[in-house]
Amino acid sequence: MNGCWFFRASWVTASLLLVASSSRLSAQPPAKVMNEQPASAEQVGAFIERVYKEKDALPPEGAKMLQAIAQGSQMRLGEGWFGPAQTRFDYAWLCRICKVDHGDNGITRAQFPGSDALFAVLDRDRDGAIVATDLDWSPSNPFVSQGYMLNRIFRKLDTKGDGLLTREEWIAVFNKAAQGKDALTAEEFAGALMTGVAGPFFPGDRPNTTQLIRARFAGEIGSMLEGPKVGQQAPLFRLKRARTEGSVDLASLIGDKPVVLVFGNFTCGPFRAFYPAVDRLYEKYRDRAHFLMVYVREAHPTDGWMMESNSKAGVEVAQPKSFDQRMSVANQFCTKLNPNIPLVVDELSDPVGHAYSGMPARLYVVDREGKVAFKSGRGPFGFSPPELEQALAMSLLETPAPAPAPAPAPAPVTAPVPANKQSSLQPLDEAETWARLPRTLERSEGQLPHWARILAKQLPRTTAALLRLDYVHRAESPLEPKLRAKLRLVIALANRCDYARDVAIADLLRSGGARTEVDAVLAGPEQWSGDDRLALLFARQHSLDAATLADEHFEQLRKRYGDKQVAAIVLLGAYGNFQDRLLLGLGVNAEGPDPPRPLRVTFTPDAFATLPVLPAHQVVPDLIVDGKDVVADDGDWESISFDELQARLQIQKGRRQRLPTPTWEEVANGLPAGFAAKPTRIVWNLVCMGYAPELALPWMTATRTMWVEAPQDRTLEESLFWVQTRAIECNYCMGHCEMFLELAGHSPQGIEARLRHLASNDWSAFPEREQRALAYARKLTKTPWDLTAGDYQSLEADYGPRDAMAIFFWLCRGLYMTRISDGFALQLERDNVFVDFAKPSPVKP
């Protein structure tokens, strides 16, 4: 006990001495505190070293870090507690698994018991054999040291701090270095990339000793605790989810698969840069391993070791003082990085972060027995997704594959929803659905999909129109069948919609695609190659962040496929994002082991509405003066002010479109008789009908039919749609919301007042049920995969079955409209183009 007391006392005393000597916070000279009389920080470091050397004891990581700071460390790789990963998956382990002797020849593919994909992960240099250096992640390995430098360059060029290097960012670097020239010399190229990168910190990021001491004891640059060792039981925890209700219990994940734990925070720049690679691992291995991210305390808050590089990337937050504040910052992280991995948030005192020594960032693999199999080094240096993937790949070698289940009997047409995966709305049976749908003239063999049997309860005519739309996209699109199935699969993966994923896979195989083509798409962007890669990357970004699509990317697609087919790609992306939200929001389950084929149905001509429809005039509601705000704030919602949004609308009016707008005369020639009562000036309609009428007209028929079948409150509709346009920053559709509010009878002042409230986190000016609908719109737009049955049930409780379904359809529709607008980068009209179809309501004074 006395020895332990001595070590602890010496540690604390040395820390106090260092603070005093480095920051001059004490008027008492450090020499008066101890007989050792250290006169400088360097001597304090030497003192700590001598304490442990004299006792013949290994210093704990916290003491090593304190010593390094005292001796002038600038947080470089290998200093202090920045050591290598710990793993039981070394080369000797792999040789035993592969039953080969140790030697220089390595492990060949024939000797490797796993798949080709796992072999490729371990054969890092791709020479056809796994050798010890392939598994070496020490700083002396050139692959590691060069990779670290490249990552630093990447962080410098990633000016948005979102882990993505856009074409515009890359071109900006070239233009700045070239100074108007068409080529760069080697010196100019090196200067463009290496300026500000050669040292340990970017300009403005270098800390002083005081900052490092405070950050160390605050746990911001790392925990004093060291976390579990390899082979020890992983500490169990239960934490609240971000972005949705409920909690995750680690114990519930342990058993059937390895578990990957990811620790990180918003203000750690290297974590933001490297995190997307972990997210790609999740997409690649999500069926074979559980993944969970734990959000921990900020590494570089504005009230701590603040970094200028964070400020340039728009990442400036103080260290949260409450759990709600931390949850809010975690939501900002979600908005910027759009993580796919399930995210939980540590408590304010970071019990889990300390238990795993997870600050500022760290990676773990926990085996099926709940023991630590891999523990990365402390972040930022130890946060290496490729090293994690190798550890996970080897953990999968020792994880037996589940025994194949017996082939299930063909599901009956009216198969009930499995009890363990209840839909938020139970489907009608097949016969009753057909009875509710409009009369048919002919139809192909096959079963109705579950989504149609749910929608038909409240919107049978709209459902009929959607059956036609689904058939067109899956069977009559101008896109080549295999390409459209691959694109639909990428969209489903981006939206995490398992139902649509399985249907797309079935369509790809039915169109002659090989299983290897399916696997290549499922493997993620790094495995995409060939002629389809450009289109698949477009479809993915179109779903995840359509507002940031590059004009150059679209132009390359245009050259590759031509105007008609590139328009079909945009319309398929819009339809996929609409349908995935419909499927996720209703909790639609698979019909059986074999997804239904596209169903060809011809309904009677009177089944649908074909002419443009606007709801009748309605009373314009007042804003509430002393209302109550009943929904949780969105952490990033106020990051763009209303005035900035208005400025963006003006910019959109001068936006150069990616495809020229056809004239009305050009469009009218391709329309069926009776589809348009008068010419239109709406750019959205002209582009869609002009380039891909076979896809655009069935969609317009579906939306027009819904407006006739279930007309809604116009002000509520446009308020909901405005929230969606703000959530994904679609300026074109945001401008249309203002036009429709004008048609509904709102004055310019009334429109501004309403939208200013919507642009804030205070929605108390709206009725409480409307606030809940607005929050539902935001969630369905941003994170549809987090929707629960309770979310829809709440909407239904507020509005009743019919109106709830109409509102839900309208919201899913919004994600079609915005994907068209952002996909084509449509130029916003300068006047209200909807007055051509209806007289505005009387304007309320």
Side-chain angles (χ1 to χ4, degrees), residues 800-837:
R802 176 64 172 263
D803 286 351
M805 183 63 77
I807 289 172
F808 172 70
F809 180 90
W810 174 265
L811 294 175
C812 294
R813 163 204 172 274
L815 279 304
Y816 184 104
M817 309 299 287
T818 55
R819 288 311 190 285
I820 294 291
S821 306
D822 283 334
F824 291 124
L826 298 180
Q827 183 183 71
L828 181 60
E829 302 88 355
R830 294 188 176 273
D831 64 328
N832 194 331
V833 290
F834 297 100
V835 297
D836 299 345
F837 299 98

Side-chain angles (χ1 to χ4, degrees), residues 697-726:
L697 300 186
W699 167 255
M700 293 179 179
T701 298
T703 56
R704 292 172 181 181
T705 300
M706 178 267 169
W707 263 358
V708 170
E709 188 169 33
Q712 295 296 297
D713 178 86
R714 298 170 69 181
T715 298
L716 174 60
E717 279 186 338
E718 296 311 319
S719 299
L720 292 168
F721 191 26
W722 191 93
V723 165
Q724 293 186 293
T725 65
R726 162 61 188 88

Side-chain angles (χ1 to χ4, degrees), residues 52 120 198 255 266 296 418 455 566 639 693 722 731 815:
Y52 287 97
F266 190 35
V296 293
L455 280 174
V566 78
S639 62
W722 191 93
N731 305 321
L815 279 304

Side-chain angles (χ1 to χ4, degrees), residues 294-327:
V294 180
Y295 194 92
V296 293
R297 71 174 40 245
E298 301 305 320
H300 301 289
T302 54
D303 51 352
W305 174 10
M306 183 178 176
M307 286 195 160
E308 188 175 319
S309 58
N310 275 346
S311 300
K312 291 179 179 178
V315 179
E316 295 181 295
V317 297
Q319 192 68 258
K321 300 298 189 295
S322 68
F323 179 78
D324 287 344
Q325 289 179 5
R326 176 172 288 182
M327 183 68 79

